[in-house]
Amino acid sequence: MSRFNGSGDFTLLPDLAVRALGGSVIWANDEFFAEKENLVSPGPSEYQPSTFGHKGQVYDGWETRRHRGKPGDDSAVVRLGVPGVIRGVVVDTAWFKGNFPPEVSLSALAVEGYPPAEEIAARTDWVSLLDRVKVDGDTRNPFTIDDENRWTHVKLTMHPDGGVARLRVHGEGRPDTALLGLGPLDLAALENGAIVLDCSNRFYSSPNQLLYPGLAREMGDGWETARRRDDGNDWVRIRLAGPGAIRLAELDTSCFLGNSPGSASLTGFTSDGTEVELLPRTDLLPDTRHRFALHLAAASVVEVRLDIYPDGGLARLRLYGELSA
């Protein structure tokens, strides 16, 4: 496994482990200096020098005690907020300069049901995705992953100890197939397998956040573009969870007050590339969850393009329908 340095940036894919998607650090064998939960916090790690608590300098990351005659390594188990295929990971050692681990490794599991954390951590069938590899301190260390399996949990191991600020697990969501077909499905949800293929602009925030679960809590939780100074408009193209007929679209401008789009449209694409108008250009209001019935959406589409006019920000995009047989 090698550090990622190719032309395709896997970090443009959603972070399947981030807390905003429901990711959780469910177990660690040690977290003496800094809590394991920090590994999946959104945003970059923060640091204030000479800020000491009862156990030493306060770090915004996960840090274990120094090994003293104790063999073995330190590990933390992360339950992915969205299970899926992992394309790459970033082991971020920001601010850890004299106390970062010399080497790390990463393994994964596909867990059914909801067993307790200790039982998951003790399992012996973890599959290695990243063999023991060197990392640098105070650095974002990216690594590509070449694996097509669906995983629900990952285990980060430090060899032998130290501190890591953030673990980013970038990939594509894959749903639990046993739950498909039990009711209306959001074909644009990351957790169901949808993914952003491309967009015109990601200046302020990632378009992946359009496909997050739940309601946006603030403007930074959505997708916002820079101000356009031409006659064009911004857009995002999404591969759906699977081919399907969309019955209801929700365009949510919540939290966007002076920078919501003036209008928007939706275009579907069938498997042979044929365009299908789903929603003609329609005026939008600021800070509003707009819901539109798509009466002309009988065609099965595999991708959707959202156009906003001329620019601005949206909190969420929901496309409810049924997968094609």
Side-chain angles (χ1 to χ4, degrees):
M1 217 59 70
S2 60
R3 293 192 184 208
F4 185 84
N5 57 8
S7 57
D9 188 354
F10 70 73
T11 63
L12 295 179
L13 296 172
D15 176 7
L16 304 180
V18 72
R19 183 63 189 164
L21 275 177
S24 177
V25 187
I26 63 171
W27 178 91
N29 69 301
D30 188 288
E31 50 180 332
F32 184 86
F33 287 113
E35 296 83 0
K36 64 185 185 300
E37 288 82 6
N38 292 327
L39 279 174
V40 298
S41 294
S45 174
E46 299 179 351
Y47 179 79
Q48 184 176 349
S50 301
T51 305
F52 292 93
H54 295 296
K55 297 180 179 180
Q57 170 66 42
V58 176
Y59 279 93
D60 181 13
W62 168 51
E63 186 184 6
T64 66
R65 74 193 77 200
R66 302 185 188 210
H67 284 197
R68 290 290 186 264
K70 184 184 84 169
D73 304 305
D74 291 329
S75 298
V77 174
V78 176
R79 184 190 66 228
L80 300 180
V82 172
V85 176
I86 300 170
R87 301 301 184 189
V89 298
V90 177
V91 181
D92 187 353
T93 57
W95 309 112
F96 289 97
K97 299 178 181 180
N99 50 353
F100 62 93
E103 297 176 312
V104 300
S105 61
L106 189 87
S107 52
L109 268 183
V111 176
E112 294 185 4
Y114 304 95
E118 293 76 13
E119 180 180 321
I120 295 173
R123 285 178 53 162
T124 59
D125 55 340
W126 287 90
V127 176
S128 176
L129 297 185
L130 181 67
D131 294 332
R132 190 165 170 163
V133 65
K134 178 181 179 296
V135 294
D136 296 321
D138 196 22
T139 301
R140 295 177 71 255
N141 298 273
F143 303 96
T144 55
I145 301 295
D146 184 15
D147 185 275
E148 294 297 325
N149 292 296
R150 176 186 183 268
W151 305 108
T152 62
H153 294 69
V154 296
K155 179 167 67 174
L156 173 67
T157 300
M158 301 188 293
H159 305 281
D161 54 40
V164 173
R166 298 287 189 267
L167 175 65
R168 303 305 188 200
V169 183
H170 296 278
E172 303 169 43
R174 293 288 185 271
D176 182 349
T177 55
L179 302 179
L180 296 179
L182 300 181
L185 189 71
D186 181 1
L187 299 174
L190 283 177
E191 58 190 348
N192 292 331
I195 196 77
V196 170
L197 297 175
D198 199 4
C199 76
S200 58
N201 186 281
R202 58 182 82 230
F203 185 85
Y204 287 109
S205 50
S206 169
N208 289 311
Q209 296 186 150
L210 284 173
L211 315 184
Y212 274 22
L215 300 176
R217 296 166 298 172
E218 58 186 22
M219 195 166 60
D221 283 349
W223 169 53
E224 184 182 2
T225 70
R227 301 189 188 205
R228 296 192 73 98
R229 304 304 186 189
D230 56 25
D231 295 329
N233 72 280
D234 287 318
W235 53 268
V236 59
R237 187 153 174 161
I238 298 157
R239 187 189 70 207
L240 301 179
I246 303 169
R247 310 296 183 186
L248 174 68
E250 182 176 304
L251 280 63
D252 184 358
T253 60
S254 292
C255 304
F256 290 94
L257 299 172
N259 51 354
S260 61
S263 58
S265 65
L266 291 169
T267 304
F269 297 86
T270 65
S271 57
D272 63 4
T274 301
E275 293 189 14
V276 179
E277 184 183 73
L278 301 177
L279 180 71
R281 182 168 174 172
T282 303
D283 290 343
L284 299 181
L285 297 174
D287 197 27
T288 300
R289 294 175 64 192
H290 308 78
R291 310 190 85 193
F292 303 105
L294 305 184
H295 301 294
L296 303 177
S300 177
V301 296
V302 296
E303 296 177 14
V304 167
R305 172 174 163 145
L306 166 67
D307 282 272
I308 59 174
Y309 303 92
D311 53 34
L314 256 72
R316 296 287 186 268
L317 173 67
R318 310 289 189 211
L319 300 174
Y320 295 102
E322 304 89 31
L323 288 170
S324 301

